[in-house]
Amino acid sequence: MEELRQKYLTAIADAADEAALEQIRITALGKKGEVSLKMRELGRMSPEERKIAGPALNALKNELNAALAAKKAALADAALDARLRAEWLDVTLPARPRRQGTVHPISQVTEEVIAIFAEMGFAVAEGPQIETDWYNFDALNIPPHHPARQEFDTFYMHREEGDERPPHVLRTHTSPVQIRAMEQQGAPIRIIAPGRVYRSDYDQTHTPMFHQVEGLAIDKGISMANLKWVLEEFCRAFFEVEEVELRFRASHFPFTEPSAEVDLRCSWQDGQLKVGEGDDWMEILGSGMVHPKVLAAAGVDPAEWQGFAFGIGIDRLAMLKYGIPDLRAFFDSDLRWLSHYGFAALDVPTMRAGLSR
Ligand code: PHE
């Protein structure tokens, strides 16, 4: 009995894995196991012999079972330790920068513009890119056959043969959002509306799809002086310089009276575009005092309310600020261009942390 005990305890201690352990259990305690066969021999013993051998065999059986269970637990612990060692990871190591994707300059500049106007109390409004004739033109005091409709190089949507309604258009400017916002919120109101606009035009500074941000401030006693201050303040913040030179040119828009176009002093040297110096001017926005007919069309009483509106070309701003000479490249999706001019995903512009670094 003592021999059996030594043999199996040693075998259990030496077992390398659970399968070996199970083999030992079967050999010792299985139906035809060595210990089980010994127990069967009890029947042929005399009662005296049985009294001694019986409890001793039972004790052996219990001891081996306990040793098997303990070894099994130890093997499981060792397996877990090995796995933990293999899967160990140093989370204090710096992450590897991937630099696969970048934020497009248009997205970045749009965020910069929003951050600046948010500081001045303007909320963001939006409208559809496929617009009705009414919102894009009529409500903005551009009736059918008005010459201004030609100037916009409008893309018209298709109408079924025989459908006489005026076709929808791809909005030619963000100004229809003025109407939609006033209809929804009434006056007083202070919003900007950034987004895509469309005109059939294509050269170094024009693409058929481009971006504008509309501004609208309606209240009591708003004047052209407020408009001028807001635009100058915006340009200083946007270009991150003390002085930028703006040129207000008297102009005409059907939806503003009086109207002004604003140009920014810049230079083009060896294909490089710089702002604030040189003898060139780049037109960046149209503006003016909102026409009483436009207020009335949006359900705002022009006898009580007045204000200004402007429409800035976002793409032009991006070209000027980041020295990008050709607008067409913006929308080519060339990965080399994107990784050169793009922004890291976490460079979120704010007025406090700085718009760009
Ligand atoms: N909608 C005009 C354009 O696209 C710009 C503008 C907006 C002018 C608001 C005056 C007021 O040219």
mmCIF file of all heavy atoms in Angstrom, residues 125-144:
data_model
loop_
_atom_site.group_PDB
_atom_site.id
_atom_site.type_symbol
_atom_site.label_atom_id
_atom_site.label_comp_id
_atom_site.label_asym_id
_atom_site.label_seq_id
_atom_site.Cartn_x
_atom_site.Cartn_y
_atom_site.Cartn_z
ATOM 1 N N ALA A 125 -26.625 78.044 -38.261
ATOM 2 C CA ALA A 125 -27.875 77.588 -38.885
ATOM 3 C C ALA A 125 -27.531 76.853 -40.179
ATOM 4 O O ALA A 125 -26.460 77.049 -40.743
ATOM 5 C CB ALA A 125 -28.778 78.780 -39.194
ATOM 6 N N GLU A 126 -28.449 75.987 -40.621
ATOM 7 C CA GLU A 126 -28.201 75.246 -41.862
ATOM 8 C C GLU A 126 -29.436 75.222 -42.750
ATOM 9 O O GLU A 126 -30.556 75.435 -42.275
ATOM 10 C CB GLU A 126 -27.803 73.797 -41.544
ATOM 11 C CG GLU A 126 -26.412 73.673 -40.977
ATOM 12 C CD GLU A 126 -25.987 72.221 -40.830
ATOM 13 O OE1 GLU A 126 -26.682 71.473 -40.110
ATOM 14 O OE2 GLU A 126 -24.971 71.843 -41.423
ATOM 15 N N GLY A 127 -29.212 74.948 -44.022
ATOM 16 C CA GLY A 127 -30.317 74.798 -44.969
ATOM 17 C C GLY A 127 -29.932 73.784 -46.019
ATOM 18 O O GLY A 127 -28.769 73.373 -46.079
ATOM 19 N N PRO A 128 -30.887 73.369 -46.876
ATOM 20 C CA PRO A 128 -30.600 72.330 -47.878
ATOM 21 C C PRO A 128 -29.750 72.857 -49.039
ATOM 22 O O PRO A 128 -29.798 74.050 -49.355
ATOM 23 C CB PRO A 128 -31.988 71.935 -48.379
ATOM 24 C CG PRO A 128 -32.827 73.147 -48.161
ATOM 25 C CD PRO A 128 -32.289 73.815 -46.925
ATOM 26 N N GLN A 129 -28.980 71.944 -49.660
ATOM 27 C CA GLN A 129 -28.168 72.344 -50.815
ATOM 28 C C GLN A 129 -29.002 72.337 -52.093
ATOM 29 O O GLN A 129 -28.708 73.070 -53.034
ATOM 30 C CB GLN A 129 -26.963 71.408 -50.962
ATOM 31 C CG GLN A 129 -25.995 71.560 -49.778
ATOM 32 C CD GLN A 129 -24.864 70.554 -49.796
ATOM 33 O OE1 GLN A 129 -24.341 70.222 -50.858
ATOM 34 N NE2 GLN A 129 -24.487 70.065 -48.639
ATOM 35 N N ILE A 130 -30.015 71.483 -52.144
ATOM 36 C CA ILE A 130 -30.971 71.536 -53.255
ATOM 37 C C ILE A 130 -32.107 72.428 -52.771
ATOM 38 O O ILE A 130 -32.820 72.086 -51.824
ATOM 39 C CB ILE A 130 -31.483 70.133 -53.627
ATOM 40 C CG1 ILE A 130 -30.320 69.269 -54.116
ATOM 41 C CG2 ILE A 130 -32.566 70.233 -54.697
ATOM 42 C CD1 ILE A 130 -30.691 67.824 -54.360
ATOM 43 N N GLU A 131 -32.251 73.567 -53.388
ATOM 44 C CA GLU A 131 -33.108 74.622 -52.849
ATOM 45 C C GLU A 131 -34.239 74.932 -53.841
ATOM 46 O O GLU A 131 -34.109 74.662 -55.040
ATOM 47 C CB GLU A 131 -32.200 75.837 -52.605
ATOM 48 C CG GLU A 131 -32.694 76.920 -51.691
ATOM 49 C CD GLU A 131 -33.393 76.466 -50.418
ATOM 50 O OE1 GLU A 131 -34.500 75.912 -50.518
ATOM 51 O OE2 GLU A 131 -32.858 76.688 -49.319
ATOM 52 N N THR A 132 -35.314 75.477 -53.329
ATOM 53 C CA THR A 132 -36.364 75.910 -54.254
ATOM 54 C C THR A 132 -35.979 77.266 -54.806
ATOM 55 O O THR A 132 -35.196 78.025 -54.226
ATOM 56 C CB THR A 132 -37.724 76.047 -53.549
ATOM 57 O OG1 THR A 132 -37.615 77.079 -52.562
ATOM 58 C CG2 THR A 132 -38.143 74.745 -52.877
ATOM 59 N N ASP A 133 -36.556 77.526 -55.952
ATOM 60 C CA ASP A 133 -36.425 78.783 -56.639
ATOM 61 C C ASP A 133 -36.815 79.952 -55.714
ATOM 62 O O ASP A 133 -36.191 81.008 -55.712
ATOM 63 C CB ASP A 133 -37.437 78.599 -57.776
ATOM 64 C CG ASP A 133 -37.418 79.646 -58.795
ATOM 65 O OD1 ASP A 133 -36.410 79.686 -59.505
ATOM 66 O OD2 ASP A 133 -38.408 80.377 -58.855
ATOM 67 N N TRP A 134 -37.839 79.709 -54.903
ATOM 68 C CA TRP A 134 -38.328 80.754 -53.987
ATOM 69 C C TRP A 134 -37.253 81.154 -52.979
ATOM 70 O O TRP A 134 -36.932 82.329 -52.839
ATOM 71 C CB TRP A 134 -39.599 80.265 -53.270
ATOM 72 C CG TRP A 134 -39.923 81.050 -52.028
ATOM 73 C CD1 TRP A 134 -39.670 80.701 -50.739
ATOM 74 C CD2 TRP A 134 -40.548 82.349 -51.963
ATOM 75 N NE1 TRP A 134 -40.083 81.683 -49.864
ATOM 76 C CE2 TRP A 134 -40.637 82.712 -50.596
ATOM 77 C CE3 TRP A 134 -41.051 83.241 -52.932
ATOM 78 C CZ2 TRP A 134 -41.185 83.897 -50.158
ATOM 79 C CZ3 TRP A 134 -41.596 84.434 -52.486
ATOM 80 C CH2 TRP A 134 -41.673 84.755 -51.119
ATOM 81 N N TYR A 135 -36.668 80.188 -52.274
ATOM 82 C CA TYR A 135 -35.685 80.535 -51.246
ATOM 83 C C TYR A 135 -34.388 81.074 -51.852
ATOM 84 O O TYR A 135 -33.761 81.973 -51.303
ATOM 85 C CB TYR A 135 -35.360 79.318 -50.367
ATOM 86 C CG TYR A 135 -36.427 79.026 -49.343
ATOM 87 C CD1 TYR A 135 -37.261 77.908 -49.470
ATOM 88 C CD2 TYR A 135 -36.600 79.854 -48.247
ATOM 89 C CE1 TYR A 135 -38.233 77.635 -48.533
ATOM 90 C CE2 TYR A 135 -37.583 79.593 -47.298
ATOM 91 C CZ TYR A 135 -38.388 78.478 -47.438
ATOM 92 O OH TYR A 135 -39.358 78.219 -46.502
ATOM 93 N N ASN A 136 -33.985 80.476 -52.998
ATOM 94 C CA ASN A 136 -32.699 80.893 -53.572
ATOM 95 C C ASN A 136 -32.790 82.270 -54.240
ATOM 96 O O ASN A 136 -31.817 83.010 -54.285
ATOM 97 C CB ASN A 136 -32.200 79.865 -54.581
ATOM 98 C CG ASN A 136 -30.716 80.039 -54.901
ATOM 99 O OD1 ASN A 136 -29.855 79.610 -54.138
ATOM 100 N ND2 ASN A 136 -30.408 80.700 -56.015
ATOM 101 N N PHE A 137 -33.986 82.577 -54.789
ATOM 102 C CA PHE A 137 -34.124 83.828 -55.567
ATOM 103 C C PHE A 137 -35.250 84.746 -55.085
ATOM 104 O O PHE A 137 -34.992 85.818 -54.553
ATOM 105 C CB PHE A 137 -34.328 83.500 -57.050
ATOM 106 C CG PHE A 137 -33.133 82.857 -57.702
ATOM 107 C CD1 PHE A 137 -33.237 81.616 -58.314
ATOM 108 C CD2 PHE A 137 -31.894 83.496 -57.719
ATOM 109 C CE1 PHE A 137 -32.130 81.024 -58.924
ATOM 110 C CE2 PHE A 137 -30.793 82.922 -58.325
ATOM 111 C CZ PHE A 137 -30.914 81.677 -58.937
ATOM 112 N N ASP A 138 -36.522 84.309 -55.295
ATOM 113 C CA ASP A 138 -37.659 85.228 -55.076
ATOM 114 C C ASP A 138 -37.658 85.885 -53.696
ATOM 115 O O ASP A 138 -37.807 87.104 -53.584
ATOM 116 C CB ASP A 138 -38.981 84.479 -55.260
ATOM 117 C CG ASP A 138 -39.111 83.897 -56.649
ATOM 118 O OD1 ASP A 138 -38.379 82.913 -56.925
ATOM 119 O OD2 ASP A 138 -39.903 84.408 -57.451
ATOM 120 N N ALA A 139 -37.507 85.066 -52.651
ATOM 121 C CA ALA A 139 -37.567 85.610 -51.296
ATOM 122 C C ALA A 139 -36.428 86.590 -51.053
ATOM 123 O O ALA A 139 -36.498 87.441 -50.162
ATOM 124 C CB ALA A 139 -37.525 84.478 -50.270
ATOM 125 N N LEU A 140 -35.354 86.467 -51.861
ATOM 126 C CA LEU A 140 -34.210 87.364 -51.714
ATOM 127 C C LEU A 140 -34.320 88.548 -52.675
ATOM 128 O O LEU A 140 -33.318 89.164 -53.043
ATOM 129 C CB LEU A 140 -32.908 86.590 -51.942
ATOM 130 C CG LEU A 140 -32.588 85.587 -50.823
ATOM 131 C CD1 LEU A 140 -31.557 84.563 -51.278
ATOM 132 C CD2 LEU A 140 -32.092 86.308 -49.561
ATOM 133 N N ASN A 141 -35.569 88.827 -53.091
ATOM 134 C CA ASN A 141 -35.826 89.987 -53.949
ATOM 135 C C ASN A 141 -35.194 89.847 -55.333
ATOM 136 O O ASN A 141 -34.749 90.823 -55.924
ATOM 137 C CB ASN A 141 -35.344 91.271 -53.244
ATOM 138 C CG ASN A 141 -35.862 92.533 -53.908
ATOM 139 O OD1 ASN A 141 -36.961 92.531 -54.480
ATOM 140 N ND2 ASN A 141 -35.074 93.603 -53.855
ATOM 141 N N ILE A 142 -35.092 88.600 -55.791
ATOM 142 C CA ILE A 142 -34.636 88.367 -57.165
ATOM 143 C C ILE A 142 -35.785 87.696 -57.915
ATOM 144 O O ILE A 142 -35.867 86.463 -57.965
ATOM 145 C CB ILE A 142 -33.384 87.456 -57.229
ATOM 146 C CG1 ILE A 142 -32.343 87.874 -56.184
ATOM 147 C CG2 ILE A 142 -32.776 87.484 -58.627
ATOM 148 C CD1 ILE A 142 -31.150 86.936 -56.088
ATOM 149 N N PRO A 143 -36.727 88.489 -58.466
ATOM 150 C CA PRO A 143 -37.872 87.900 -59.149
ATOM 151 C C PRO A 143 -37.449 87.198 -60.444
ATOM 152 O O PRO A 143 -36.328 87.411 -60.908
ATOM 153 C CB PRO A 143 -38.777 89.103 -59.441
ATOM 154 C CG PRO A 143 -37.892 90.294 -59.387
ATOM 155 C CD PRO A 143 -36.736 89.959 -58.486
ATOM 156 N N PRO A 144 -38.335 86.356 -61.015
ATOM 157 C CA PRO A 144 -38.019 85.726 -62.306
ATOM 158 C C PRO A 144 -37.630 86.797 -63.324
ATOM 159 O O PRO A 144 -38.158 87.903 -63.283
ATOM 160 C CB PRO A 144 -39.335 85.047 -62.696
ATOM 161 C CG PRO A 144 -40.074 84.862 -61.415
ATOM 162 C CD PRO A 144 -39.676 85.989 -60.526
#
